[in-house]
Amino acid sequence: YYTNSTVIQATGRMLPWPSMKNRLLLCISWGLLTFTPLVGWAQTNSAVEFYNRGVDKLSSGDYRGATEDFTQSIALNPKDPDAYYNRAYAALIMGNYQGAIQDYTQAITLNPKYVYAYGNRCFIYYLTQKYPEAIADCSQAIQLKGEYADFYIYRGNAYDDTGKHEAALEDFTQALKLDPKNAKAHYNRALTYNRLGNHQKALLDYTESIKLNPQLAEAFHNRGLTYYQLGQRSQAAKELQQAAELFSSQGKKDNAQKSINALRILQENPD
């Protein structure tokens, strides 16, 4: 059968001015779109037809239409974990987190080794600040597929947001061992270093994340605030200006305003 993986980029986490306690999110979700092979029974054939049509609609961005087709497929074949998984994926994209959790849970019930269902449910638990559940799901995903760097990143985020910064550092570092060019891992590890007060190491990781992804405006913003913490005000101003320009070009008006506000505070308080 045919398999296609989809990656979703979410808004990056930014340090607020001038505190370094809260952050937005830099996470992705995994989508596993699987065409099921046709088999002989008429009812199952109908389920497969709806399923494959749902996959086509997912690929084209018609998430509501995909949801309807997966629902029809499930009605005809309620024991297909992939149908629940992909319907959950559509729900996740549309922001229906509770519906997505229910479908990922059903997919896992039908296939207890469905690693990406654990991974995506971990992602939703993190978004909804259910950190123990997020850690448990990502730990299970790691047990099933320990070579996938993003599982460590999301578990690291959950550890970091619950104050377990050293555990977070271990996960981000492990992610980088698996994928040394992972900009998200460098970025998130930098945030943890900020929280631990190690701004020099944070600066190194922000710089590496920017080398790997020059469009990562969040990294410019956070690197600007890190320069400020290190007393390098002129460089901080340059970074914040660059962040504001990148955010604006990317259509992220709220984040651009945050960088502009931080730059204004810096300029109005020269001491």
Side-chain angles (χ1 to χ4, degrees):
Y1 53 84
Y2 172 77
T3 301
N4 178 34
S5 295
T6 300
V7 174
I8 304 173
Q9 295 286 353
T11 302
R13 300 177 299 171
M14 292 167 54
L15 299 171
W17 179 273
S19 168
M20 295 197 176
K21 293 182 180 178
N22 300 315
R23 58 187 180 177
L24 299 176
L25 199 61
L26 181 68
C27 287
I28 65 171
S29 172
W30 311 272
L32 187 64
L33 311 180
T34 306
F35 284 103
T36 301
L38 296 177
V39 295
W41 294 279
Q43 183 174 352
T44 308
N45 276 340
S46 297
V48 170
E49 289 169 3
F50 279 114
Y51 177 91
N52 286 341
R53 193 165 69 182
V55 169
D56 288 337
K57 290 180 180 179
L58 273 185
S59 298
S60 67
D62 180 7
Y63 303 118
R64 294 190 184 279
T67 298
E68 293 173 1
D69 283 335
F70 291 130
T71 298
Q72 290 286 348
S73 179
I74 288 168
L76 293 166
N77 182 12
K79 294 185 178 181
D80 179 9
D82 290 341
Y84 288 100
Y85 176 89
N86 283 324
R87 189 172 69 174
Y89 183 68
L92 169 58
I93 296 173
M94 294 188 293
N96 179 8
Y97 297 145
Q98 189 56 45
I101 286 174
Q102 290 174 357
D103 275 348
Y104 284 132
T105 299
Q106 185 60 27
I108 290 167
T109 299
L110 292 167
N111 177 6
K113 294 185 178 181
Y114 209 146
V115 60
Y116 293 105
Y118 285 109
N120 277 8
R121 196 172 65 174
C122 164
F123 175 72
I124 299 172
Y125 281 141
Y126 179 80
L127 285 178
T128 54
Q129 298 182 356
K130 295 180 179 179
Y131 300 123
E133 291 89 343
I135 291 168
D137 269 358
C138 270
S139 295
Q140 183 63 31
I142 288 168
Q143 183 176 341
L144 293 168
K145 192 178 177 71
E147 71 276 14
Y148 196 68
D150 283 345
F151 294 150
Y152 289 96
I153 293 174
Y154 305 137
R155 189 175 70 175
N157 288 343
Y159 279 140
D160 204 28
D161 283 357
T162 53
K164 299 176 181 178
H165 304 310
E166 295 298 336
L169 283 180
E170 290 180 9
D171 272 356
F172 296 140
T173 300
Q174 180 61 28
L176 287 167
K177 288 179 181 178
L178 294 168
D179 183 6
K181 295 184 178 181
N182 192 311
K184 297 185 303 298
H186 282 290
Y187 177 88
N188 285 296
R189 190 171 68 174
L191 276 167
T192 303
Y193 280 134
N194 281 139
R195 287 182 162 184
L196 290 169
N198 193 336
H199 303 307
Q200 287 288 358
K201 285 190 174 181
L203 189 64
L204 292 175
D205 266 337
Y206 285 132
T207 299
E208 189 62 27
S209 71
I210 289 169
K211 287 180 181 178
L212 294 167
N213 182 4
Q215 299 302 308
L216 189 54
E218 292 84 0
F220 282 99
H221 177 98
N222 286 1
R223 190 167 70 170
L225 297 190
T226 302
Y227 274 123
Y228 171 80
Q229 292 291 331
L230 293 171
Q232 301 182 43
R233 299 175 64 88
S234 62
Q235 189 60 40
K238 292 178 183 178
E239 298 288 324
L240 291 168
Q241 182 64 45
Q242 179 68 21
E245 293 173 1
L246 278 174
F247 280 134
S248 295
S249 69
Q250 295 165 6
K252 299 176 180 177
K253 295 181 180 180
D254 290 344
N255 285 351
Q257 191 60 50
K258 289 178 183 178
S259 295
I260 292 169
N261 291 343
L263 180 60
R264 184 179 296 120
I265 292 171
L266 177 66
Q267 293 170 338
E268 292 175 354
N269 297 274
D271 295 329

